[in-house]
Amino acid sequence: MRAAHHCGPSCHGAQALDAQAQRPWPTGPAAPRHAGSSRTGARTRAPCIGRQTPNHCATREAPCSGFMAGGVAGVCVDLILFPLDTIKTRLQSPQGFNKAGGFRGIYAGVPSAAIGSFPNAAAFFITYEYVKWFLHTDSSSYLMPVKHMLAASAGEVVACLIRVPSEVVKQRAQVSASSGTFHIFSNILCQEGIQGLYRGYKSTVLREIPFSLVQFPLWESLKALWSWRQDHVVDSWQSAVCGAFAETTAAFWSQIREVGPWKAWTP
């Protein structure tokens, strides 16, 4: 299980960003040139992957629109899935699952996750949407994935500034359930300083960026393709399905690198 950011589009509420209504696609003389029409007057158009027109099938969001949606959904998902994250962390612990706590104190470290989830997810999605907005051009389809890759990479770099300290405290609490979250946080500051909270920052960024380079272009492309096939913007549940598929695909090849940041986060 990845550290939550954004966890991904399927788990951070990015699907809520696609719920805005769009203007009807114009027909007749006012229709854009790339929207063809049949002899009967029925309109047809090519997939809008990579196209940027006034009536583009994927709504161009304001950069701040992802702040609340991503943040609130990030908190909900992190709290719901926290027990599974604890079990995964203890299974990876060098001291073994039982010595790391087993099934006891399954919510150890949850205060750190609860405090860090909202700003972490919100920081990712507001950066992601802003960079997409900033790079908005009438580019051809083969350049659109590059824009999404750059936006996701920037989002990861910013989000990790919040995520890594939260993960350091959370995972140390998960493998030492007898110590409180605040006590662990205080010990890190006293013994290691602020640098201790950012142990593993570089390895975390190097892990998350390749994941997002696969996940987010695939997510955006699936949404655009689905929008084209049904001739209107995807619903929230459809965006969630696209996000789940994209995140699962990215996880297949990136999960093996999960152990690197974990070893840096724990003593």
Side-chain angles (χ1 to χ4, degrees):
M1 184 184 306
R2 299 177 67 204
H5 67 57
H6 62 103
C7 260
S10 63
C11 67
H12 273 153
Q15 60 269 27
L17 304 181
D18 299 299
Q20 296 183 358
Q22 296 186 0
R23 292 175 290 179
W25 188 269
T27 58
R33 291 185 179 274
H34 71 271
S37 60
S38 67
R39 293 183 179 179
T40 61
R43 60 183 172 80
T44 58
R45 54 188 168 111
C48 57
I49 302 174
R51 296 184 185 273
Q52 298 292 340
T53 69
N55 296 290
H56 189 262
C57 68
T59 306
R60 182 182 174 188
E61 303 288 347
C64 63
S65 63
F67 184 84
M68 290 300 297
V72 171
V75 172
C76 293
V77 170
D78 282 349
L79 295 181
I80 293 172
L81 298 181
F82 191 86
L84 296 179
D85 186 64
T86 300
I87 292 173
K88 181 210 70 173
T89 300
R90 291 175 179 176
L91 286 171
Q92 292 177 335
S93 174
Q95 54 188 318
F97 178 73
N98 291 327
K99 290 185 178 180
F103 290 101
R104 302 183 306 276
I106 207 72
Y107 276 94
V110 73
S112 175
I115 293 172
S117 289
F118 186 95
N120 168 41
F124 175 86
F125 278 108
I126 196 171
T127 304
Y128 179 73
E129 293 298 329
Y130 179 81
V131 174
K132 284 204 303 179
W133 172 84
F134 182 78
L135 297 177
H136 175 75
T137 57
D138 292 330
S139 55
S140 55
S141 60
Y142 69 90
L143 289 179
M144 290 300 292
V146 176
K147 182 177 78 170
H148 298 143
M149 288 177 181
L150 292 175
S153 298
E156 293 291 1
V157 172
V158 174
C160 281
L161 293 173
I162 302 171
R163 184 184 314 145
V164 170
S166 174
E167 286 293 316
V168 169
V169 176
K170 182 196 74 175
Q171 295 207 1
R172 292 192 187 186
Q174 287 174 327
V175 296
S176 55
S178 58
S179 300
T181 300
F182 182 76
H183 178 70
I184 292 174
F185 176 75
S186 300
N187 282 346
I188 293 175
L189 286 181
C190 292
Q191 298 174 10
E192 304 175 47
I194 193 68
Q195 295 88 349
L197 292 175
Y198 282 94
R199 289 184 60 180
Y201 176 81
K202 292 181 180 178
S203 60
T204 303
V205 172
L206 291 176
R207 179 198 66 180
E208 298 292 351
I209 287 181
F211 188 101
S212 294
L213 290 181
V214 175
Q215 179 185 12
F216 282 87
L218 181 57
W219 176 52
E220 298 281 5
S221 297
L222 289 173
K223 288 193 301 175
L225 180 60
W226 203 336
S227 296
W228 168 69
R229 289 185 64 88
Q230 66 185 6
D231 207 27
H232 62 78
V233 67
V234 292
D235 297 323
S236 295
W237 71 269
Q238 293 171 326
S239 180
V241 170
C242 294
F245 180 82
E247 187 160 355
T248 301
T249 302
F252 269 118
W253 71 278
S254 63
Q255 182 63 24
I256 193 171
R257 291 170 296 142
E258 177 81 12
V259 177
W262 188 92
K263 288 184 176 179
W265 289 335
T266 53

